[in-house]
């Protein structure tokens, strides 16, 4: 899944603290309900999506009638299939119409409107499924996938998107575990079904390509192929996840539940251990330069800490927090330090010096 964190799209802080929610029955799908320029759906227009996201947030923050704390949605999906973090995981939405409905379901909005761009793209439908899975895996969302108009008087999410919801909210190729009445994703399996991008290549559930086959073959060659009944490759299956998890456990990683260290989704370190090399093109330019150790002083604020927090959230090292959940921000707190230390301890190249203070290597590995 292509997640764009709040820090990455330049979110403003919440106006009020956001209410924690432990779990929901599911997710409601929304559209913007206003004009959205058709050009936003152009294949080359993704550069405009972060700005579009900031506009949505600004309009919600300026809405004096609703007095929103923040953008109302938990996530927003652009026509290019990117999932923009809104209120995020374990946060009560403000978008479903009333308090009862806001407690019942999370809210995911597609960047389509009631005029202009009205038809969701295939990438966007894939992204919506990614967003639903993200909320299931990380936010304890239940199986329900409904439209905003279910149980509330509104046109939202518009006819094209609502037809897709009613048809089962499947991926465009007809597969995927989605469905209004349940699916394997939130059944008993508890297998990690999110994706990561390493050096520009995507790994994890439903990722596809020769690089996925190469991982499977390497797993088999190392003796970690017992879960394959077909394959390996070219599409990443649950068997790949289970085999990779076995490999991670053999490296000493702990925790096989989704988003724990041995959940079967590769990280750069485990992947390099398996293959002896990291395929793809190093995305060095996407990692911001290390700001220097002086940016990380306990109890002091620095913009680099927000960037650091984005990496911790993306990689799931957010166990230590005050209040309901770990929220990115400029303050280098004791919790920041403990979360960084967890990341360092889980990363063999850093584990020898896991003091919770980021050096250049921690910075690069966390943000790459
Ligand atoms: Zn709506
Ligand atoms: Zn986009």
């Amino acid at each position: 899944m292509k997640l764009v964190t709040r820090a990455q799209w330049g979110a403003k802080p919440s106006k009020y603290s956001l209410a924690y929610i432990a779990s929901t029955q599911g997710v409601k799908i929304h559209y913007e309900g206003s004009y959205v320029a058709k050009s936003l759906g152009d294949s080359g227009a993704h550069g405009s999506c972060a700005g579009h996201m900031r506009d949505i947030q600004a309009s919600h923050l300026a809405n004096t009638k609703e007095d929103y704390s923040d953008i109302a949605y938990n996530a927003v999906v652009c026509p290019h299939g990117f999932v923009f973090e809104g209120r995020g995981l374990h946060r009560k939405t403000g978008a479903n119409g009333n308090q009862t409905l806001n407690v019942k379901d999370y809210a995911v909005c597609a960047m389509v409107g009631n005029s202009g761009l009205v038809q969701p793209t295939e990438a966007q439908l894939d992204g919506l499924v990614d967003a639903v899975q993200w909320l299931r895996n990380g936010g304890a969302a239940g199986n329900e996938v409904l439209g905003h108009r279910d149980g509330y008087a509104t046109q939202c999410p518009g006819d094209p998107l609502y037809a897709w919801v009613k048809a089962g909210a499947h991926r465009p190729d007809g597969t995927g575990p989605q469905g209004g009445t349940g699916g394997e994703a939130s059944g008993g399996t508890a297998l990690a079904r999110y994706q990561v991008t390493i050096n520009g290549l995507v790994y994890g559930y439903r990722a596809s390509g020769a690089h996925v086959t190469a991982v499977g073959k390497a797993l088999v060659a190392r003796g970690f192929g017992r879960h394959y009944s077909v394959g390996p490759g070219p599409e990443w299956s649950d068997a790949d996840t289970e085999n990779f998890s076995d490999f991670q456990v053999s490296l000493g990683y702990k925790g096989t539940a989704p988003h724990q260290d041995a959940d079967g989704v590769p990280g750069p370190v485990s992947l390099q251990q398996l293959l002896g090399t990291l395929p793809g093109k190093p995305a060095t330019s996407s990692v911001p330069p290390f700001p220097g150790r002086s940016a990380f002083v306990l109890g002091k604020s620095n913009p680099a800490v927000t960037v650091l927090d984005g990496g911790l959230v993306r990689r799931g090292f957010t166990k230590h927090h005050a209040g309901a959940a770990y929220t990115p921000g400029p303050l280098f707190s004791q919790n920041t330090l403990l979360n960084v230390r967890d990341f360092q301890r889980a990363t063999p190249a850093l584990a020898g010096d896991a003091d919770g203070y980021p050096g250049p290597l921690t910075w690069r590995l966390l943000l790459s």
Side-chain angles (χ1 to χ4, degrees):
M1 132 170 172
K2 300 176 286 190
L3 181 69
V4 183
T5 64
R6 290 175 65 95
Q8 286 170 332
W9 61 263
K12 288 216 165 64
S14 304
K15 203 196 290 182
Y16 315 114
S17 68
L18 297 170
Y20 175 82
I21 194 163
S23 63
T24 65
Q25 290 185 33
V27 176
K28 280 197 169 162
I29 304 295
H30 296 252
Y31 74 162
E32 293 189 41
S34 53
Y35 169 79
V36 175
K38 258 199 166 141
S39 57
L40 191 71
D42 293 349
S43 58
H46 181 62
S48 304
C49 292
H52 193 78
M53 200 54 198
R54 292 192 294 272
D55 289 346
I56 298 174
Q57 187 193 30
S59 76
H60 286 190
L61 287 174
N63 184 329
T64 49
K65 180 171 156 271
E66 299 283 353
D67 197 23
Y68 287 125
S69 313
D70 203 319
I71 187 167
Y73 310 113
N74 297 94
V76 180
V77 179
C78 80
H80 316 95
F82 287 75
V83 179
F84 287 77
E85 180 185 26
R87 293 193 178 192
L89 304 171
H90 290 298
R91 290 291 182 278
K92 193 176 72 170
T93 174
N96 287 340
N98 61 44
Q99 282 307 312
T100 307
L101 296 170
N102 288 340
V103 167
K104 182 170 161 285
D105 289 300
Y106 287 118
V108 172
C109 180
M111 286 184 190
V112 292
N114 59 5
S115 61
L117 185 65
V118 297
Q119 198 69 42
T121 66
E122 294 207 340
Q124 202 162 20
L125 298 179
D126 256 330
L128 286 168
V129 176
D130 289 339
V132 168
Q133 289 206 305
W134 179 63
L135 288 162
R136 286 180 179 179
N137 288 338
N143 285 338
E144 189 172 275
V145 180
L146 297 173
H148 185 187
R149 67 171 73 166
D150 289 313
Y152 192 77
T154 172
Q155 288 301 306
C156 183
D159 289 343
L161 211 46
Y162 190 62
W164 172 78
V165 169
K166 293 312 279 183
H170 296 292
R171 292 184 186 275
D173 63 4
T175 65
Q178 298 311 317
T181 54
E184 37 188 333
S186 47
T189 59
L191 283 173
R193 280 184 168 167
Y194 63 97
Q195 296 179 342
V196 294
T197 303
I198 300 171
N199 280 358
L201 297 172
V202 180
Y203 301 87
Y205 190 63
R206 293 190 54 78
S208 184
H211 65 289
V212 172
T213 308
V215 168
K217 285 186 171 163
L219 285 167
V220 171
R222 300 278 291 260
F224 297 98
R226 72 189 172 100
H227 296 286
Y228 290 125
S229 51
V230 292
E235 180 171 298
W236 192 287
S237 67
D238 285 337
D240 289 284
T241 304
E242 291 180 284
N243 286 328
F244 205 94
S245 171
D246 288 349
F247 171 66
Q248 287 168 322
V249 168
S250 81
L251 295 178
Y253 290 22
K254 300 269 190 302
T256 57
H259 297 286
Q260 293 187 313
D261 297 333
D263 68 357
V265 181
V269 175
S270 57
L271 194 62
Q272 176 133 28
Q273 295 261 12
L274 177 69
L275 301 173
T277 174
L278 267 189
K281 201 158 159 274
T284 43
S285 60
S286 74
V287 178
F290 180 62
R293 291 176 195 272
S294 61
F296 308 109
V297 179
L298 198 58
K300 293 266 165 63
S301 288
N302 189 293
V305 180
T306 307
V307 179
L308 181 81
D309 283 342
L312 289 170
V313 168
R314 246 180 309 128
R315 290 174 181 276
F317 290 91
T318 56
K319 198 169 71 189
H320 305 278
H321 53 78
Y326 190 66
T327 317
L331 179 68
F332 192 83
S333 67
Q334 182 69 23
N335 289 322
T336 315
L337 183 141
L338 292 172
N339 287 327
V340 170
R341 196 178 64 181
D342 284 354
F343 170 70
Q344 291 170 327
R345 284 178 174 173
T347 308
L350 303 168
D353 187 22
D355 61 359
Y357 287 95
L361 187 60
T362 298
W363 178 262
R364 185 160 59 78
L365 293 178
L366 186 61
L367 297 176
S368 62

